[in-house]
Amino acid sequence: MSQNDWQDLEKKLFLQTIKRAPVTLVRGKGARAWDDQGRKYLDFTAGWATNSLGHCPPVVVKALEKQARTLIHTSSQFYTVPQLELAQLLIQYSCLNRVFFCNSGAEANEGSVKLARRYGKLRLNGAYEVITAYNSFHGRTLAMTAATGQSKFQESYTPLPIGFINVEYNNVEAIKGATSEKTCAVLLEPIQAEGGVNIPDNDYLKKVQSWCREKGILLILDEVQTGAGRTGTLFAYEQYGVEPDIMALAKGIGSGVPIGAFLAKEAASVFSLGEHGSTFGGNPLVCAAAHAALKYQIDHKIPAQAKRVGNYFLTKLGSLKQQFDFITDVRGRGLLIALEFNQEIGDKLLLACLNKGLLVNRLKPNALRFMPPLIITEKEVDEAIGILKEALGEIQNPKH
Ligand SMILES: *Cc1c(COP(=O)(O)O)cnc(C)c1O
């Protein structure tokens, strides 16, 4: 089948929810992926910040193969070893005490909010409201659509579930103003990822944490994208000197397998038996893979590597900014990086990069996002920069 045939099939068979790049990927290894025509790409999307260790990392493949031959699924009606081992690792390397496993980021946030509401019922006179930020992204369930402070995700689904108040990001006064006796929690991303790679002031989260403690409400951090080494530390909260009461994880922790989790401090661990659940959550197959991936990250200090290579990448992008005056901003932490323009050239640039063998993400009409696997090297960054430079040059001087 040709690329056009695949595209026709997709148009016919799928609910049309996403604009796909015109390429059908069939194979991947490390930071490289191949399409059905045999073309090779450098993948700086990493499955949306998910393939932390690149495509088909040997440690994950090995864990999956072994677990697939041993025990694939049981439900959480029974104890299983991979789930317990993954829980141990997450608790040992985070500031939190207990974990619940689910399957996605949206579910991890849903569970976090349910836990906060339960806390509100038990400890805060039935408080149920959760304060979130504009330009946030917390997932696609109906409740997380209400939590996500972007009208483009909300308009089609009103009326939205109640109990979410969206306020300005990076503004602690806005949170204070929205807090009432009905508030049970504040839910924030340490860096807003989908919303634009928006990095808050260094003291923002610290101020929010102080406010939450003063009011006795919970601080929930959505580390679905920033967690698992993406921003240069295992969890982004470590860089801001705060400790969340609840933390949501997904994307990168499984290095490609679908897994989510939320973790809570002991004081916030208020679920009773039967109050939450998931059929697939904590499935032995994905837990074995995630355990192998996370252990590899920790043993090989991958977050520090992401920080080093991320800084190198930022410097290189900074010099591109010097050369192309339509680049207005370069920002990022670790390997979560955005490049912004004063023109809506995101789609054009994405296609130009694709044609030259580099996969990138269009963050906004006027911005690209880079979220390569955390194992990329300076050499691969140089290669990507070379391609980007060519693509930017074509946009600056279009061929007629
Ligand atoms: C991707 C993302 C989600 C949603 O995760 P899904 O696995 O797509 O449900 C939630 N929060 C943040 C910060 C994300 O980046």
Side-chain angles (χ1 to χ4, degrees):
M1 296 245 280
S2 74
Q3 183 56 32
N4 282 340
D5 294 332
W6 292 124
Q7 286 179 15
D8 289 346
L9 201 57
E10 193 269 356
K11 270 229 160 51
K12 197 169 112 192
L13 299 179
F14 284 70
L15 284 162
Q16 295 292 300
T17 59
I18 181 146
K19 185 172 177 197
R20 297 175 202 254
V23 57
T24 303
L25 297 177
V26 294
R27 188 163 67 85
K29 189 166 188 259
R32 309 279 166 179
W34 285 261
D35 71 12
D36 62 335
Q37 316 295 320
R39 286 203 60 197
K40 183 174 159 183
Y41 302 90
L42 188 55
D43 185 359
F44 271 39
T45 66
W48 287 343
T50 289
N51 301 323
S52 309
L53 303 179
H55 288 286
C56 304
V59 279
V60 174
V61 171
K62 208 170 131 207
L64 278 170
E65 280 176 350
K66 181 160 177 258
Q67 194 58 42
R69 273 189 241 106
T70 311
L71 186 67
I72 292 178
H73 181 74
T74 61
S75 89
S76 286
Q77 186 182 341
F78 308 102
Y79 298 85
T80 56
V81 178
Q83 190 182 100
L84 285 158
E85 286 179 340
L86 177 60
Q88 263 181 329
L89 207 57
L90 286 169
I91 300 305
Q92 185 185 344
Y93 287 94
S94 74
C95 65
L96 298 135
N97 306 107
R98 290 176 185 271
V99 63
F100 180 92
F101 289 115
C102 52
N103 312 287
S104 68
E107 272 179 86
N109 283 316
E110 282 271 346
S112 300
V113 167
K114 281 177 75 178
L115 186 59
R117 281 202 178 189
R118 186 76 191 119
Y119 186 87
K121 270 207 201 311
L122 292 170
R123 310 262 194 273
L124 301 168
N125 294 314
Y128 63 90
E129 275 181 0
V130 176
I131 299 170
T132 71
Y134 289 126
N135 295 315
S136 60
F137 186 82
H138 299 297
R140 304 293 202 139
T141 61
L142 207 47
M144 286 311 110
T145 297
T148 292
Q150 301 193 55
S151 54
K152 69 176 180 196
F153 294 124
Q154 299 179 330
E155 281 157 0
S156 301
Y157 307 107
T158 53
L160 295 171
I162 61 162
F164 295 94
I165 302 184
N166 307 139
V167 302
E168 196 182 12
Y169 189 61
N170 197 25
N171 177 348
V172 69
E173 295 308 318
I175 289 174
K176 289 183 181 175
T179 306
S180 74
E181 70 286 348
K182 286 194 233 155
T183 311
C184 67
V186 175
L187 164 61
L188 296 169
E189 293 158 88
I191 292 171
Q192 290 187 326
E194 310 287 328
V197 186
N198 305 320
I199 303 172
D201 295 341
N202 276 332
D203 60 354
Y204 172 59
L205 287 180
K206 216 164 190 157
K207 285 182 184 162
V208 175
Q209 177 177 263
S210 303
W211 176 250
C212 288
R213 287 189 176 164
E214 190 181 325
K215 291 288 151 184
I217 61 181
L218 300 176
L219 175 60
I220 307 171
L221 289 183
D222 176 353
E223 292 236 22
V224 168
Q225 189 152 160
T226 54
R230 176 60 47 188
T231 66
T233 45
L234 194 55
F235 305 108
Y237 71 75
E238 297 167 40
Q239 296 173 45
Y240 293 101
V242 298
E243 293 197 350
D245 301 297
I246 303 174
M247 172 169 72
L249 297 173
K251 293 205 164 85
I253 52 169
S255 208
V257 300
I259 182 167
F262 59 97
L263 293 88
K265 291 265 196 197
E266 194 59 41
S269 298
V270 292
F271 280 150
S272 305
L273 295 180
E275 283 181 346
H276 196 54
S278 170
T279 298
F280 283 122
N283 165 307
L285 189 71
V286 293
C287 284
H291 179 267
L294 210 56
K295 184 147 188 338
Y296 184 94
Q297 273 219 40
I298 292 162
D299 290 349
H300 293 81
K301 300 191 166 51
I302 299 297
Q305 181 181 332
K307 183 177 171 183
R308 192 189 74 235
V309 179
N311 284 337
Y312 179 77
F313 193 9
L314 279 170
T315 307
K316 292 277 163 172
L317 288 171
S319 50
L320 285 185
K321 183 168 177 281
Q322 299 298 314
Q323 296 164 56
F324 297 96
D325 59 6
F326 54 92
I327 299 178
T328 50
D329 196 26
V330 175
R331 58 179 179 272
R333 271 284 163 89
L335 285 168
L336 179 59
I337 293 174
L339 191 62
E340 196 161 299
F341 316 100
N342 64 8
Q343 305 158 31
E344 302 201 338
I345 53 173
D347 281 319
K348 236 166 119 184
L349 208 48
L350 182 147
L351 281 178
C353 289
L354 185 78
N355 288 331
K356 297 175 192 305
L358 174 67
L359 305 179
V360 297
N361 175 251
R362 196 212 68 161
L363 179 61
K364 294 195 277 188
N366 68 331
L368 294 184
R369 179 173 38 161
F370 307 102
M371 39 194 165
L374 307 181
I375 44 103
I376 53 156
T377 59
E378 276 97 348
K379 211 167 146 233
E380 283 161 335
V381 167
D382 287 341
E383 192 182 332
I385 289 286
I387 292 174
L388 257 176
K389 190 173 167 181
E390 269 184 43
L392 288 162
E394 281 178 14
I395 285 187
Q396 191 173 43
N397 298 307
K399 290 192 203 100
H400 295 290

